[in-house]
């Protein structure tokens, strides 16, 4: 394959595979409303199914990322579309079975975890080969994820609400998309030569993860990436379901689309807001998230659709800014041999946020604490995360840890 052809297929082929995995991971979300109608599943069980795929994501991230640094990107990324198709198949068969749905969610999580850690690193390295800008890799990876999350949710909502086979058709679409993604992914060139020598266990060590800059600048923001999303398109649609009878699944899909579309456009601005050594991108992310949580509390109290959609949009902006700022900072902090590993740790932390709907549902059932109060507490915690980032940024140790990774230094540190 000639070099121009490799470039032409390159990052676009990997991007479609990442898009497909994200589609498969988020197609389930607007269907939560449909599954809540199943008398055999309580709200806590349904919300727990949203979180279940984290059981697949986190191991795939933490193991797949470092292993791809050792064995190359292709061997770890090629299975992702196949596993995504398997997950969708199990979800299509498990409409009335919580165990089957849980297993399908885990498979979807494995596919998405590989796509996020391995696919994201592969996209960056292919973008570097094409001579794209320093931030192009992170931006392309983030936009591929967000587009998949948004379109997967929107398509699933429309199909489940108004098309035949509401429990199956949305998942069959993802299976077809996975087949196309696998075909286009196959010829993409490798960017990471397999390492020789050393112990396999040493590859699972991520030296960059011990840096103070990661834990003080990235970790406080990371759980809010999907914490904001979970409130926008899992909590709010459930609270407003009495007002959306007859189109409740579509409304859940609309909340997904509104939030993720806002996140998509915010990510395109992330490169302009972000500055190496400055916390302003993370501060913007947490400011948007805190404002979105307060608007969500207002929507939960007033039960009005316009306020809920506004809250979803602001929370989506917080998601998008938190994701792109986190990825850019990770790429500056990571060494040349553990980029995928540190990216995996970052994404693992982001998915802690998906536990929030199940936690809130359990608190509501056990202690009868209202959702407006819980969402206000969430806004306070988000502000606390913002303060941690600001205070740590003023510390000479943290600034020194990040400052050497100026844009010209990132170019020198890229894997060869």
């Amino acid at each position: 394959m000639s070099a121009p052809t490799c470039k032409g297929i390159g990052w676009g082929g990997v991007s479609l595979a990442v898009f497909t995995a994200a589609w498969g991971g988020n197609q389930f979300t607007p269907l939560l409303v449909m599954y809540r109608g199943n008398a055999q599943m309580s709200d806590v069980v349904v919300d727990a199914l949203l979180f279940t795929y984290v059981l697949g994501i986190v191991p795939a991230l933490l193991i797949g990322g470092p292993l791809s640094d050792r064995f190359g990107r292709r061997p770890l990324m090629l299975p992702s579309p196949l596993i995504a198709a398997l997950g969708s198949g199990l979800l299509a068969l498990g409409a009335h079975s919580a165990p089957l749905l849980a297993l399908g969610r885990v498979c979807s999580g494995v596919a998405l975890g590989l796509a996020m850690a391995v696919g994201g690193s592969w996209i960056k390295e292919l973008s570097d080969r094409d001579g794209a800008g320093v931030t192009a890799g992170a931006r392309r990876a983030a936009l591929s994820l967000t587009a998949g999350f948004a379109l997967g949710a929107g398509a699933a909502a429309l199909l489940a609400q108004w098309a035949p086979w509401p429990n199956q058709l949305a998942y069959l679409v993802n299976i077809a998309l996975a087949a196309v993604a696998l075909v286009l992914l196959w010829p993409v060139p490798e960017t990471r030569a397999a390492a020789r020598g050393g112990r396999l266990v040493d590859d699972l060590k991520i030296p960059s993860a011990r840096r103070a800059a990661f834990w003080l600048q990235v970790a406080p923001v990371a759980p809010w990436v999907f914490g904001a999303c979970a409130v926008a398109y899992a909590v709010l649609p459930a609270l407003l379901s009495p007002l959306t009878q007859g189109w409740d699944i579509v409304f859940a899909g609309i909340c997904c689309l509104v939030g993720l579309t806002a996140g998509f456009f915010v990510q395109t601005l992330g490169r302009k807001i972000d500055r190496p050594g400055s916390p302003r991108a993370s501060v913007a992310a947490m400011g948007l998230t805190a404002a979105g949580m307060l608007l969500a509390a207002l929507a939960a109290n007033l039960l009005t659709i316009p306020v809920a959609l506004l809250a979803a949009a602001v929370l989506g902006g917080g998601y998008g800014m938190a994701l792109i700022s986190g990825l850019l900072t990770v790429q500056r902090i990571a060494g040349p041999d553990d980029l995928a590993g540190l990216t995996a740790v970052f994404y693992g932390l982001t998915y802690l946020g998906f536990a929030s709907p199940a936690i809130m549902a359990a608190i509501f059932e056990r202690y009868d604490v209202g959702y407006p109060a819980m969402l206000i507490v969430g806004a306070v915690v988000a502000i606390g995360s913002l303060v941690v980032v600001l205070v740590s940024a003023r510390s000479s140790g943290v600034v020194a840890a990040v400052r050497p990774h100026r844009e010209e230094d990132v170019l020198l540190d890229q894997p060869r």
Side-chain angles (χ1 to χ4, degrees):
M1 185 180 293
S2 65
T5 303
C6 289
K7 286 184 179 181
I9 295 175
W11 71 267
V14 184
S15 178
L16 179 61
V18 172
F19 172 89
T20 299
W23 178 302
N26 208 37
Q27 62 188 345
F28 182 85
T29 306
L31 307 188
L32 291 173
V33 176
M34 179 177 71
Y35 292 121
R36 282 192 177 94
N38 188 331
Q40 298 175 343
M41 301 184 198
S42 68
D43 287 351
V44 174
V45 169
V46 173
D47 285 330
L49 288 170
L50 178 67
F51 181 72
T52 300
Y53 85 140
V54 176
L55 301 178
I57 288 173
V58 173
L61 285 169
L62 297 181
I63 297 174
L67 287 183
S68 78
D69 284 330
R70 179 180 180 88
F71 296 112
R73 310 307 184 200
R74 284 177 56 83
L76 275 298
M77 185 60 195
L78 284 176
S80 177
L82 295 173
I83 300 171
L86 174 61
S88 287
L90 290 169
L91 291 169
L93 295 172
H96 303 289
S97 170
L100 268 183
L101 290 175
L103 184 58
R105 290 290 286 163
V106 170
C107 290
S108 297
V110 172
L112 183 55
L114 292 174
M116 295 174 87
V118 184
S121 299
W122 203 0
I123 289 171
K124 177 189 183 299
E125 291 159 359
L126 288 164
S127 298
D128 294 343
R129 284 189 175 186
D130 287 352
V134 173
T135 61
R139 190 171 66 254
R140 288 168 174 174
L143 292 176
S144 300
L145 282 170
T146 301
F149 288 146
L151 294 179
L158 289 172
L159 293 173
Q161 186 79 71
W162 289 315
W165 313 318
N167 294 313
Q168 288 84 31
L169 188 56
Y171 301 123
L172 296 178
V173 171
N174 185 244
I175 292 172
L177 190 59
V180 175
L182 181 62
V183 170
L184 295 181
L185 187 65
W186 192 265
V188 176
E190 180 62 83
T191 56
R192 177 82 181 178
R196 296 181 179 178
R199 297 183 305 166
L200 186 61
V201 68
D202 292 333
D203 295 327
L204 301 180
K205 298 177 182 178
I206 306 169
S208 296
R210 295 194 293 266
R211 298 186 66 174
F214 179 81
W215 292 105
L216 295 175
Q217 294 288 295
V218 178
V221 177
W224 291 103
V225 171
F226 292 115
C229 285
V231 171
Y233 51 63
V235 174
L236 287 176
L239 293 177
L240 272 73
S241 58
L243 303 180
T244 58
Q245 293 296 327
W247 61 291
D248 46 356
I249 301 175
V250 167
F251 178 69
I254 291 172
C255 287
C256 289
L257 283 173
V258 168
L260 292 169
T261 300
F264 185 92
F265 285 108
V266 164
Q267 286 170 27
T268 64
L269 301 174
R271 181 169 58 90
K272 298 179 180 179
I273 298 173
D274 175 78
R275 288 292 182 275
S278 168
R280 68 182 192 173
S282 297
V283 169
M286 297 318 302
L288 285 169
T289 301
M293 295 294 284
L294 290 174
L295 284 169
L298 182 62
N301 184 57
L302 299 178
L303 293 180
T304 59
I305 291 174
V307 178
L309 293 177
L310 178 61
V314 176
L315 286 167
Y319 148 80
M321 200 66 237
L323 179 59
I324 192 65
S325 66
L327 285 173
L328 289 171
T329 305
V330 161
Q331 290 186 3
R332 295 186 188 109
I333 294 172
D337 295 322
D338 63 357
L339 172 62
L342 193 63
T343 302
V345 175
F346 166 67
Y347 277 132
L349 293 174
T350 66
Y351 271 97
L352 295 176
F354 260 130
S356 55
I359 292 172
M360 285 192 281
I363 291 174
F364 178 76
E365 286 190 4
R366 185 175 180 86
Y367 301 106
D368 197 27
V369 177
Y371 274 86
M374 288 189 283
L375 292 166
I376 290 173
V377 170
V380 172
V381 176
I383 293 171
S385 300
L386 185 155
V387 171
V388 170
V389 170
L390 276 177
V391 171
S392 65
R394 295 178 183 275
S395 166
S396 58
V398 175
V399 173
V402 177
R403 186 176 293 154
H405 293 268
R406 301 183 302 272
E407 290 192 355
E408 58 265 35
D409 293 324
V410 174
L411 285 171
L412 295 175
D413 287 344
Q414 290 169 358
R416 292 174 173 79

